[in-house]
Amino acid sequence: MRKRSGAKGKGTKRSRENAWGWFFTAPFGLVFLLFLVIPLIYAGYISLFSYTQLRGTVFAGLSNYARAFSDPIFLSGMWRVVLYAVVMVPIQLGFALLLALVLDTMTNRFASFSRLIFFLPYAIPVVIGALMWGFLYSKQMGPFTSIFGLFGMQPPGFLKPGGIFGSLVNIVTWQWTGYYMVILYSALQSVPPELYESARIDGASEVQIALKIKTPMISSSLVMVTVFALIGTLQFYTEPMILRNNVPSVIQPEYTPNMYAQALAFNYNQLNYSATISFALGLLVVAFSVVFMRLTRNQSGLEG
């Protein structure tokens, strides 16, 4: 009887703990359901319909998706963000890895301050960061005009057609490198220091330790941040949207797929096709991510 009572008491306590767990996670679950799951389901539903003034709303099936993947505007924007990914992702991860390796060798008080400084751009909201860089790039108000003017030179055309690509790469690299650096630095902290000591005894230099021991040991974290960077770049939206206010003739409304989806919904009132473009972009992002994970399965620890 005592054992049965004890087991019953433990079961009651476990049920009570589970109930409190559900109670505390319920607000997040409700927000997640209302603002992500339901909108996604609704967007997926309306992407299967089309609207015309003559016929009204009619079921279109997958014809909207066939139209999307043959839409030159969508494909042009997609190729543009792919080009951004090819350029930005290696630059961001290269700087993040370099900073993480340097900080991992620092043991003084300056190390904590350095981590904070490098992470600070990520703590600044993306909109504010883009507005700030838009001011810095401005030929009328930006400081670069005065700086180059001291040497009798014209400032670079940061916001001109030939310079907007590099300007956007700079903004995103500045904004996100610190975030990726913190992830890689945390991974480096979990590597046993005995490995480094053994390598030093064998005569390895600090550069060899960084390249041949530290970097391979955090390969799974490198794969993870690469996927994060890839997904974020393919959904490029905020930075070009903010800079478009400065140079609307250079950054068109359909500059990226996300911007194109917004323009279709709010400028041309094509809600159904806008939802289709969003889902088509999502499918391509998933495809890119899956292919990358398959190609790096050994480094990500997903082999088998």
Side-chain angles (χ1 to χ4, degrees):
M1 292 294 294
R2 290 181 180 178
K3 290 184 178 179
R4 186 174 300 175
S5 299
K8 184 177 180 181
K10 290 181 180 179
T12 304
K13 182 179 179 181
R14 188 177 298 109
S15 299
R16 191 182 302 116
E17 291 175 349
N18 291 337
W20 278 110
W22 283 110
F23 174 77
F24 285 116
T25 56
F28 168 78
L30 183 62
V31 171
F32 182 79
L33 182 66
L34 290 177
F35 295 100
L36 184 64
V37 176
I38 293 178
L40 278 176
I41 294 174
Y42 178 70
Y45 172 76
I46 66 173
S47 72
L48 300 176
F49 292 82
S50 62
Y51 173 82
T52 62
Q53 292 183 346
L54 293 177
R55 297 185 300 164
T57 301
V58 296
F59 181 73
L62 298 179
S63 61
N64 282 339
Y65 289 90
R67 174 187 171 189
F69 285 108
S70 60
D71 187 341
I73 298 177
F74 172 68
L75 296 177
S76 175
M78 197 66 214
W79 281 116
R80 187 175 290 114
V81 294
V82 168
L83 180 59
Y84 272 108
V86 170
V87 175
M88 278 198 298
V89 172
I91 292 177
Q92 291 178 67
L93 298 188
F95 278 120
L97 179 60
L98 177 62
L99 292 174
L101 291 171
V102 170
L103 291 174
D104 189 56
T105 62
M106 300 172 64
T107 57
N108 52 27
R109 295 180 180 179
F110 186 67
S112 299
F113 177 74
S114 299
R115 290 197 299 270
L116 176 62
I117 292 297
F118 293 137
F119 183 75
L120 188 60
Y122 175 73
I124 298 173
V126 178
V127 172
I128 295 177
L131 287 171
M132 179 192 73
W133 278 103
F135 165 76
L136 293 175
Y137 289 149
S138 174
K139 195 171 183 179
Q140 289 74 31
M141 300 177 294
F144 292 111
T145 301
S146 301
I147 295 172
F148 280 86
L150 294 175
F151 302 95
M153 302 170 59
Q154 291 292 326
F158 294 110
L159 299 179
K160 292 183 178 180
I164 195 66
F165 184 90
S167 298
L168 286 169
V169 169
N170 175 66
I171 295 174
V172 178
T173 301
W174 171 83
Q175 186 92 44
W176 289 91
T177 296
Y179 172 70
Y180 300 139
M181 178 271 296
V182 168
I183 296 176
L184 298 179
Y185 175 78
S186 300
L188 285 170
Q189 293 295 293
S190 65
V191 178
E194 292 80 9
L195 293 176
Y196 310 148
E197 296 300 327
S198 300
R200 292 188 183 98
I201 292 174
D202 291 338
S205 65
E206 293 300 321
V207 174
Q208 290 175 323
I209 292 174
L211 296 178
K212 297 183 178 181
I213 298 179
K214 292 185 177 182
T215 302
M217 290 293 291
I218 62 169
S219 60
S220 59
S221 296
L222 281 169
V223 171
M224 180 180 69
V225 296
T226 302
V227 172
F228 287 170
L230 184 64
I231 292 173
T233 305
L234 293 178
Q235 299 183 83
F236 206 20
Y237 174 78
T238 305
E239 293 85 356
M241 195 67 187
I242 296 298
L243 287 189
R244 174 170 151 68
N245 296 324
N246 296 25
V247 282
S249 61
V250 176
I251 301 178
Q252 302 297 326
E254 61 276 2
Y255 191 75
T256 69
N258 268 335
M259 292 177 65
Y260 183 37
Q262 189 209 31
L264 286 169
F266 296 100
N267 296 351
Y268 307 111
N269 198 31
Q270 297 186 34
L271 297 179
N272 304 95
Y273 189 50
S274 173
T276 304
I277 290 293
S278 299
F279 266 82
L281 173 62
L283 292 173
L284 290 175
V285 170
V286 171
F288 274 104
S289 302
V290 169
V291 169
F292 180 80
M293 293 295 290
R294 295 284 294 179
L295 293 175
T296 59
R297 59 166 53 188
N298 293 331
Q299 290 76 19
S300 63
L302 299 176
E303 70 274 15

